[in-house]
Structure formats: C-alpha cells, structure tokens
C-alpha cells in the first residue's frame, strides 16, 4: 500500500494530503470527545450506586454475594454496553461470543478468563462482553492505582475486585510485587473460585506499551489457581483496542475497528494437565505449562487478527500506530 501511495504521490495536488490529515485529526478528536461524554454519562449512575453501597457498608458490610455488590457489577456491564453501542465509530468484530455466553461455567466447574492487555479499553470490553447472568460472579485482579482514580476507584471497590499490591510505584516494564500480600490476594481469589465463581485477570502483569502485537510473557503465578482448582479456562485475544485508546493516553474513543476472539482453552484445567505426557509433580511447572499454552493460543489469534487487517501498522517497525499521539 505504501509503494502504491509513493508511485502516485507526484500526481496528487500538494494541498490534498494536509487536508486529509486535518480531516482525519478532526474525526479522531470528535470521536474521543463524544466517547468520553457518553462514557461519563453512562457511568455516573453506576458511580451513584457504588457510592451508596459503600456508605451503607459502614453500617452493614457487603458480603461477597451481596445484592449491593451484584447491583454495581450488573449496572456497570449494562452501562458500558450502552456506551459502546452508542459509539458507532468504534466498530467491533467479535468471534466466539455466542459460545462464551452459552457455555461459560455451564459444566458445573468455576471458570477463569485471561486476556492480552494493551489498553484501558480492554477492561471496558471484557466487562461489556461478559454475560449479564455471570457478571455478578466475576472477581478481577486489577492494578492498585485504579482504586485511586476518582469515580472508577469507587466502582472497583464496590465490585470487590482485588488490587495487585506493589512495594513501590510500578514503572514501565519493571515493578516489584509485595509477595506476602499478593499471596493473600491470590488466596482470596482462589477462595472466590472454589465457591463456584469466576476469576479474571491480565496475565502479562502490566499493560503492554511496546510492540502490542507481541504479547508479553504470561506470569505463571496467577495460573497456580488453575492448578489447584479444576476450572474452565477462557481466553480473549484483542487487536485494535490500543488504537481506540492508546496505553499512554489519558482518554480514548478514537475511531477504530477492534477484533476480538474469545475461545475456550479447556473444559477442565486438571483434565488438560492429566492429558499431557509430562508428569507435573511440581505445581509451579504445571502453572508454567498452562500460562505458556494460554499465551501461545492468544498470540496465535492476535497474529491472525493482524493478518486480517486489525490494527494499523507502521512500515518501519510493524508496531500498531495509535490514531492519537502518545503522551
């Protein structure tokens, strides 16, 4: 495409290219402005529900299955579905959604959901794509800084999500976990799953700000849960979300086309491990195997989405180029 553009460049009037760039920039700006207006208006009622729930919790603490907690989770799912539905310039192509809705947790086992992570849009998409009948059973591991964000922090707290604890501020590509506290959080998440619920997290451990088509290594620690508990494992591969909302941007909503592939890695994590020729005597080795398998399968889908034209490539590096400049 770049060669064709170069071949015809001499035939184009000099004023055409700047005009096109100006028009594209205007559409991007309008998309971001309107998306954030829609997102705020849709999320505000959820914030009110969450705030009231937290205030009431001072008198009567919210249990894990509290109706107040469920109300926040369900209303958030509905609100973000509406926000995405009204944002027609953010096009989504999702395969596997029907099976996901029909069979998530339907075999009597609890479930886990893992996905690649290159944008805050990932969280919005995952919440919106989760079945309404199941969203109130989901508990996520989230970055601790999200709890400090006005409005969003209140909602996440009322949902009962678990913050990943850091000893110091996370820096890009390098951070140190508080291992003792993290063990406590992982046990809380495992207890939640043992009770028949759903866990979700981004196993890269941090948002991918580099080559978003090259998924970072999945951390095996989270997959210890899938070794200790027999679960369904669902994977979500996404491409194009970082164009809509670049990792380094404080706001998103630029026009884009997002490709999403949802698939079941296994019906039974213990059954999958038992079917392997290797005898996993060390639970850590089993967790590493499951982490690497999930990474391999998600990477395969990401590669296919890129080949199908999702994401915009830079000719020099092949890295998806955000429509909005990085901050």
């Amino acid at each position: 495409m770049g060669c064709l553009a170069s071949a015809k460049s001499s035939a184009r009037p000099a004023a055409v290219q700047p005009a096109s760039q100006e028009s594209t920039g205007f559409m991007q700006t309008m998309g971001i402005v309107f998306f954030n207006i829609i997102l705020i208006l849709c999320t505000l009622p959820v914030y009110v529900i969450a705030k009231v729930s937290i205030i009431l919790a001072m008198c009567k603490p919210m249990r894990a299955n509290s109706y107040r907690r469920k109300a926040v989770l369900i209303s958030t799912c509905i609100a973000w579905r509406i926000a995405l539905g009204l944002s027609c310039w953010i096009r989504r192509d999702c395969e596997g959604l029907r099976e996901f809705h029909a069979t998530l947790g339907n075999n009597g086992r609890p479930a886990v959901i893992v996905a690649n992570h290159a944008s805050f849009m990932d969280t919005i998409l995952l919440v919106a794509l989760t079945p309404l009948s199941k969203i109130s059973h989901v508990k996520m591991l989230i970055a601790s800084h999200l709890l400090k964000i006005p409005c969003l922090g209140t909602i996440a707290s009322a949902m009962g999500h678990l913050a990943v604890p850091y000893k110091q501020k996370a820096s890009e590509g390098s951070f140190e976990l508080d291992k003792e506290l993290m063990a406590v959080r992982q046990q809380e998440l495992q207890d939640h799953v043992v009770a028949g619920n759903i866990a979700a997290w981004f196993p890269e451990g941090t948002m991918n700000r580099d080559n978003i088509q090259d998924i970072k290594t999945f951390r095996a620690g989270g997959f210890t849960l899938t070794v200790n508990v027999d679960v369904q494992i669902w994977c979500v591969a996404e491409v194009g979300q970082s164009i809509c909302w670049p990792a380094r941007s404080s706001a998103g909503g630029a026009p884009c086309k997002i490709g999403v592939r949802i698939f079941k890695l296994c019906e039974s994590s213990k059954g999958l491990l038992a079917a392997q020729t290797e005898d996993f005597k060390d639970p850590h080795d089993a967790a590493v195997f499951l982490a690497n398998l999930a990474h391999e399968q998600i990477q395969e889908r990401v590669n296919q989405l890129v080949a199908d034209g999702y994401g915009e490539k830079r000719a020099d590096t092949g890295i998806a180029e955000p429509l909005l400049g990085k901050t």
Side-chain angles (χ1 to χ4, degrees):
M1 192 68 181
C3 294
L4 182 60
S6 298
K8 294 184 177 181
S9 59
S10 59
R12 293 178 180 173
V16 171
Q17 184 65 19
S20 175
Q21 290 177 348
E22 182 179 347
S23 174
T24 301
F26 175 78
M27 294 300 294
Q28 293 168 359
T29 302
M30 288 298 97
I32 292 170
V33 169
F34 281 109
F35 174 74
N36 281 276
I37 290 173
I38 291 170
L39 185 63
I40 290 171
L41 290 177
C42 290
T43 306
L44 273 176
V46 180
Y47 169 73
V48 173
I49 296 172
K51 191 67 175 178
V52 170
S53 297
I54 290 175
I55 292 173
L56 291 176
M58 295 177 183
C59 301
K60 185 178 181 181
M62 284 189 287
R63 302 184 307 276
N65 60 348
S66 166
Y67 285 110
R68 285 170 285 167
R69 200 179 299 283
K70 290 180 178 180
V72 176
L73 285 158
I74 292 172
S75 60
T76 302
C77 182
I78 294 172
W80 287 355
R81 284 185 182 186
I82 293 172
L84 289 171
L86 292 175
S87 304
C88 56
W89 56 93
I90 302 175
R91 293 172 294 163
R92 287 157 289 137
D93 174 20
C94 185
E95 289 186 7
L97 184 61
R98 181 171 296 182
E99 181 189 4
F100 181 55
H101 281 190
T103 64
L104 175 63
N106 73 335
N107 61 357
R109 294 185 182 90
V112 302
I113 305 168
V114 295
N116 62 309
H117 193 27
S119 167
F120 181 71
M121 183 59 73
D122 296 324
T123 302
I124 295 175
L125 284 170
L126 278 181
V127 171
L129 291 172
T130 302
L132 276 175
S133 61
K134 301 292 186 180
I135 189 65
S136 63
H137 299 282
V138 176
K139 189 181 288 290
M140 292 188 70
L141 281 174
I142 62 173
S144 56
H145 74 269
L146 294 178
L147 297 178
K148 300 176 183 178
I149 299 176
C151 186
L152 183 61
T154 300
I155 293 172
S157 296
M159 287 178 170
H161 293 324
L162 303 172
V164 177
Y166 298 107
K167 287 186 177 180
Q168 55 191 15
K169 184 178 180 181
S171 59
E172 186 174 323
S174 176
F175 53 86
E176 184 180 2
L177 286 174
D178 184 330
K179 293 183 180 180
E180 290 185 6
L181 185 53
M182 187 62 197
V184 174
R185 298 283 165 79
Q186 287 181 319
Q187 186 61 51
E188 287 183 55
L189 191 64
Q190 181 168 305
D191 292 343
H192 177 75
V193 171
V194 168
N197 295 301
I198 302 168
W201 71 92
F202 299 112
E204 289 168 280
T206 185
M207 198 177 293
N208 188 349
R209 293 175 170 84
D210 302 319
N211 186 340
I212 60 173
Q213 296 170 16
D214 185 12
I215 301 173
K216 292 180 179 293
T217 302
F218 281 5
R219 298 177 180 274
F223 285 87
T224 301
L225 184 157
T226 64
V227 176
N228 296 337
V229 186
D230 192 18
V231 296
Q232 277 188 345
I233 302 178
W234 286 86
C235 299
V236 182
E238 301 168 287
V239 172
Q241 75 279 34
S242 61
I243 293 176
C244 178
W245 195 326
R248 292 182 174 88
S249 294
S250 56
C256 67
K257 186 176 182 182
I258 301 173
V260 181
R261 299 294 179 263
I262 306 175
F263 60 97
K264 189 188 300 178
L265 186 69
C266 65
E267 279 283 357
S268 164
S269 57
K270 289 187 178 293
L272 176 60
L273 290 171
Q276 306 308 308
T277 56
E278 182 178 356
D279 183 13
F280 297 105
K281 295 181 180 179
D282 186 346
H284 178 71
D285 291 340
V288 170
F289 169 78
L290 291 173
N292 288 339
L293 181 62
H295 180 278
E296 176 186 327
Q297 294 296 314
I298 292 178
Q299 182 69 71
E300 182 179 314
R301 267 71 171 188
V302 166
N303 292 343
Q304 186 58 56
L305 285 166
V306 172
D308 291 342
Y310 295 92
E312 184 173 292
K313 292 183 179 179
R314 286 205 301 257
D316 58 341
T317 65
I319 299 176
E321 178 69 36
L323 296 181
L324 185 67
K326 295 178 180 179
T327 56

